[in-house]
C-alpha cells in the first residue's frame, strides 16, 4: 500500500480540497528517501500527525507523531518454516529472527510453529519510535527492532535469520552485526539460503574510504534527511570535527544524491552523507568523488576513535550521550605531533586536531575590508574567492548589455541527430 492510495480514497469520498492538500504534487517538496517520514511536507500543510504508508526505516522523527501502515505482504508460513529447518538442523541453535516490516504481521504465526522445536530461538519485535529509557542489560534496540539476547557471549554467539527480500535493510543488518552469520528466506521464492555477502570485503571497501577521507582537504556534507531526530546535532558535530581537523566543509542540500548533481562540486574531495541508517551506505562507485558515512568520517578525523570491528550506520550513535560517542581529544602541541603517511598517495599529512576556535570578538572585525577608494565594504568569503578564480562561473545574464531581438524557432530533435542535421542553416 502506498501513500497515494489515501489521496485517491479522499477523492472518492468527495473530499477534493483535503486530497489536494495531501497530494505530493500540491507542494514542491520531495522526500529524500521513501523509507523516511516526510515531515517537511507534513509541516507545509499544517499537519499535526503523519500516516506513513509502505516500507519504513523506522527512524524517529523530530516533531510530529507518526503512525506507520506497513501493509501485509503474503507469506507462506509452512515453506518459511521448512527453509529455516533446512538451514538450522540443530534444534539447539541460537537464532534471532528478523523480518522486513511488510512481513511483521506473520511473525507471530511463524513463532508458534518454530518455538516448540527450537527452544533458543528469539523473534524480534518491530517498534515504532524510541522506547522510553535506556535498554536494559541483555536487550537489543536498534533499527526499530527489539529483542532479548540470552547467549553468554552476547549477540555474536547468535545466528541471524532474515525474512524478506535482499535490499538495503538486510545489508544494514549484516554490516552492523558483522560477527553474526546470516541466512535469509525470500518470500517470493520461498527458498532459504545462507547470505554470501562478503562482509569482510565490504568492510575493507569502507575502510579504504576512511583512508580517502583522511587525505581530503575539502569535505561536502550532504543533508540527506530533514526529518530524522538529531540530524541538526550531527551536522553541528561534523562541522566542529572538520574544523578542528583542519579541513574545510560545505553543507549541501541537493535532495537525492546522484553523480550528475555532485559532479558540479569539483572542489570537494569527499562527501559525507547524513541520512537514515538504511540509506547511509550509498554505493559511490559511479560518483566522481567517494561518499562516506558520519561514522567513517569520525574514524578518519578523530584520533581518539579506533576501529574495533563494530560498525555504526545510525548517526545518532555518535552524538553525546549515545552508546558510541567518543570525545574529541585536546590539541597536540606542534613539537609533539607524530607524522602520518597516507597509504594511498604516500605523502605526509596532518593527523592531529587543532585547538578549538576562540569565541568571536566583534571589534575589530576581520570579515569586512575596504574594497576601493569609495570606502565601499565587501565581505571576504573563501567560497566566493575560489569562485572568482574559476574560468567558468555559470551562465551570465548580462542585463542591458545585449540587444533586444525577436524569438525565433530553434533546432528540433535530440543532440545526436537534429532534424536539420546536414542542411545548411539559413
Amino acid at each position: 500500500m502506498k501513500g497515494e492510495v489515501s489521496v485517491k480514497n479522499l477523492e472518492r469520498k468527495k473530499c477534493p480540497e483535503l486530497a489536494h492538500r495531501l497530494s505530493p504534487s500540491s507542494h514542491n517538496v520531495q522526500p529524500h528517501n521513501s523509507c523516511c517520514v516526510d515531515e517537511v511536507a507534513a509541516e507545509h500543510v499544517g499537519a499535526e500527525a503523519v500516516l506513513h504508508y509502505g516500507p519504513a526505516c523506522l527512524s524517529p522523527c523530530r516533531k510530529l507523531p507518526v503512525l506507520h501502515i506497513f501493509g501485509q505482504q503474503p507469506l507462506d508460513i509452512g515453506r518459511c518454516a521448512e527453509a529455516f529447518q533446512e538451514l538450522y538442523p540443530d534444534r539447539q541453535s541460537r537464532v534471532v529472527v528478523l523480518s522486513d516490516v511488510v512481513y511483521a504481521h506473520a511473525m507471530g504465526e511463524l513463532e508458534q510453529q518454530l518455538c516448540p522445536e527450537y527452544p533458543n530461538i528469539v523473534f524480534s519485535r518491530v517498534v515504532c519510535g524510541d522506547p522510553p529509557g535506556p535498554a536494559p542489560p541483555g536487550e537489543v534496540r536498534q533499527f526499530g527492532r527489539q529483542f532479548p539476547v540470552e547467549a553468554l557471549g552476547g549477540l555474536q554467539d547468535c545466528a541471524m535469520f532474515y525474512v524478506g527480500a535482499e535490499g538495503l535493510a538486510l545489508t544494514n543488518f549484516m554490516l552492523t552485526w558483522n560477527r553474526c552469520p546470516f541466512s535469509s528466506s525470500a518470500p517470493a521464492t520461498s527458498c532459504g539460503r545462507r547470505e554470501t555477502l562478503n562482509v569482510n570485503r565490504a568492510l575493507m571497501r569502507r575502510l579504504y574510504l576512511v583512508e580517502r577521507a583522511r587525505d581530503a582537504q575539502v569535505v561536502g556534507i550532504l543533508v540527506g534527511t530533514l526529518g530524522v531526530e538529531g540530524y541538526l546535532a550531527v551536522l553541528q558535530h561534523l562541522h566542529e570535527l572538520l574544523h578542528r581537523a583542519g579541513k574545510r566543509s560545505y553543507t549541501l542540500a541537493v535532495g537525492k544524491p546522484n553523480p550528475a548533481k555532485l559532479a558540479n562540486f569539483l572542489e570537494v574531495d569527499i562527501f559525507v552523507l547524513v541520512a537514515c541508517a538504511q540509506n547511509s551506505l550509498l554505493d559511490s562507485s559511479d560518483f566522481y568523488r567517494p561518499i562516506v558515512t558520519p561514522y567513517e568520517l569520525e574514524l578518519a578525523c578523530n584520533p581518539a576513535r579506533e576501529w574495533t570491528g563494530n560498525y555504526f550506520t545510525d548517526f545518532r550513535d555518535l552524538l553525546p550521550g549515545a552508546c558510541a560517542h567518543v570525545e574529541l581529544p585536546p590539541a597536540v602541541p606542534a613539537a609533539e605531533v607524530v607524522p602520518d603517511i597516507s597509504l594511498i598517495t604516500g605523502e605526509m599529512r596532518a593527523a592531529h586536531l587543532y585547538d578549538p576556535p576562540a569565541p568571536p570578538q566583534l571589534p575589530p572585525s576581520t570579515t569586512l575590508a575596504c574594497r576601493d577608494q569609495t570606502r565601499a565594504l565587501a565581505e571576504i568569503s573563501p567560497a566566493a574567492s575560489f569562485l572568482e578564480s574559476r574560468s567558468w562561473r555559470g551562465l551570465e545574464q548580462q542585463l542591458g548589455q545585449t540587444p533586444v531581438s525577436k524569438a525565433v524557432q530553434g533546432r528540433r530533435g535530440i543532440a545526436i541527430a537534429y532534424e536539420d542535421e546536414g542542411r545548411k542553416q539559413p
Side-chain angles (χ1 to χ4, degrees):
M1 183 181 296
K2 301 297 182 181
E4 292 80 12
V5 175
S6 60
V7 178
K8 294 179 181 179
N9 289 339
L10 288 172
E11 292 174 348
R12 286 199 298 265
K13 293 180 180 179
K14 308 302 181 182
C15 301
E17 180 180 354
L18 183 57
H20 174 72
R21 293 182 63 196
L22 294 178
S23 174
S25 60
S26 63
H27 45 76
N28 190 20
V29 176
Q30 181 181 3
H32 299 288
N33 306 298
S34 59
C35 64
C36 298
V37 176
D38 194 358
E39 212 174 28
V40 176
E43 291 180 347
H44 278 204
V45 297
E48 299 178 356
V50 178
L51 274 74
H52 183 83
Y53 288 87
C57 58
L58 299 177
S59 300
C61 292
R62 296 185 302 125
K63 301 178 182 178
L64 300 178
V66 180
L67 175 62
H68 287 278
I69 303 176
F70 306 121
Q72 299 182 359
Q73 295 291 337
L75 177 65
D76 192 336
I77 303 296
R79 294 290 298 275
C80 187
E82 292 176 2
F84 182 91
Q85 293 168 355
E86 293 176 359
L87 292 169
Y88 302 100
D90 184 8
R91 297 300 191 263
Q92 299 299 320
S93 300
R94 295 186 179 274
V95 185
V96 177
V97 179
L98 305 167
S99 70
D100 196 350
V101 292
V102 295
Y103 302 107
H105 67 97
M107 290 300 101
E109 188 177 349
L110 182 62
E111 183 177 3
Q112 294 177 0
Q113 191 163 342
L114 291 177
C115 278
E117 300 183 24
Y118 292 85
N120 297 322
I121 192 173
V122 174
F123 279 77
S124 65
R125 187 165 59 92
V126 174
V127 179
C128 300
D130 286 341
E139 184 176 272
V140 176
R141 294 178 182 175
Q142 263 186 306
F143 313 123
R145 272 71 172 182
Q146 180 178 351
F147 54 89
V149 178
E150 300 177 355
L152 296 178
L155 191 59
Q156 62 183 3
D157 288 348
C158 299
M160 297 288 190
F161 180 75
Y162 178 76
V163 180
E166 184 179 1
L168 294 175
L170 179 58
T171 304
N172 183 33
F173 293 154
M174 294 183 67
L175 285 180
T176 303
W177 300 313
N178 52 67
R179 300 179 183 179
C180 303
F182 268 78
S183 59
S184 67
S185 174
T189 60
S190 299
C191 296
R193 69 171 187 178
R194 299 195 182 277
E195 288 301 324
T196 57
L197 171 66
N198 192 336
V199 177
N200 292 330
R201 185 173 182 179
L203 290 176
M204 289 173 60
R205 166 65 180 172
R206 307 308 303 188
L207 292 177
Y208 166 76
L209 297 180
V210 171
E211 195 67 19
R212 291 285 301 271
R214 289 193 177 104
D215 293 340
Q217 294 299 321
V218 181
V219 180
I221 304 176
L222 301 176
V223 183
T225 179
L226 297 176
V228 177
E229 182 183 5
Y231 87 95
L232 289 176
V234 79
L235 287 177
Q236 182 179 0
H237 173 71
L238 293 177
H239 278 294
E240 179 186 1
L241 175 64
L242 292 171
H243 184 78
R244 291 200 56 189
K247 303 179 186 295
R248 288 185 296 169
S249 62
Y250 299 94
T251 303
L252 308 172
V254 295
K256 187 174 182 180
N258 60 53
K261 288 181 181 179
L262 301 189
N264 293 315
F265 306 99
L266 296 179
E267 304 79 25
V268 176
D269 298 323
I270 200 168
F271 295 94
V272 53
L273 177 61
V274 178
C276 67
Q278 285 191 18
N279 291 276
S280 293
L281 297 169
L282 185 63
D283 184 12
S284 58
S285 57
D286 295 333
F287 289 74
Y288 292 97
R289 295 288 187 267
I291 302 176
V292 299
T293 66
Y295 172 67
E296 292 165 354
L297 187 67
E298 270 230 347
L299 280 175
C301 300
N302 188 354
R305 183 179 291 280
E306 298 180 355
W307 171 251
T308 60
N310 298 324
Y311 194 89
F312 302 95
T313 56
D314 191 348
F315 62 76
R316 296 179 301 138
D317 294 336
L318 310 177
L319 298 177
C323 60
H325 175 68
V326 176
E327 291 286 346
L328 295 178
V332 179
E336 302 178 7
V337 172
V338 178
D340 185 50
I341 305 297
S342 171
L343 299 178
I344 298 177
T345 63
E347 300 177 355
M348 294 186 63
R349 64 190 177 190
H352 63 281
L353 297 181
Y354 297 89
D355 290 322
Q361 298 179 358
L362 294 180
S365 176
T366 59
T367 60
L368 295 178
C370 295
R371 186 174 60 184
D372 49 30
Q373 297 180 354
T374 60
R375 312 298 295 177
L377 296 179
E379 184 177 357
I380 299 176
S381 171
S385 301
F386 187 86
L387 181 62
E388 290 292 333
S389 65
R390 297 181 64 172
S391 59
W392 189 81
R393 306 171 190 172
L395 299 178
E396 299 179 359
Q397 294 182 348
Q398 297 181 352
L399 298 177
Q401 303 178 16
T402 55
V404 179
S405 60
K406 293 184 178 181
V408 296
Q409 184 175 357
R411 307 179 73 179
R412 301 178 59 182
I414 59 178
I416 195 174
Y418 290 106
E419 293 182 1
D420 59 350
E421 197 76 37
R423 294 195 302 240
K424 294 183 178 181
Q425 296 289 336

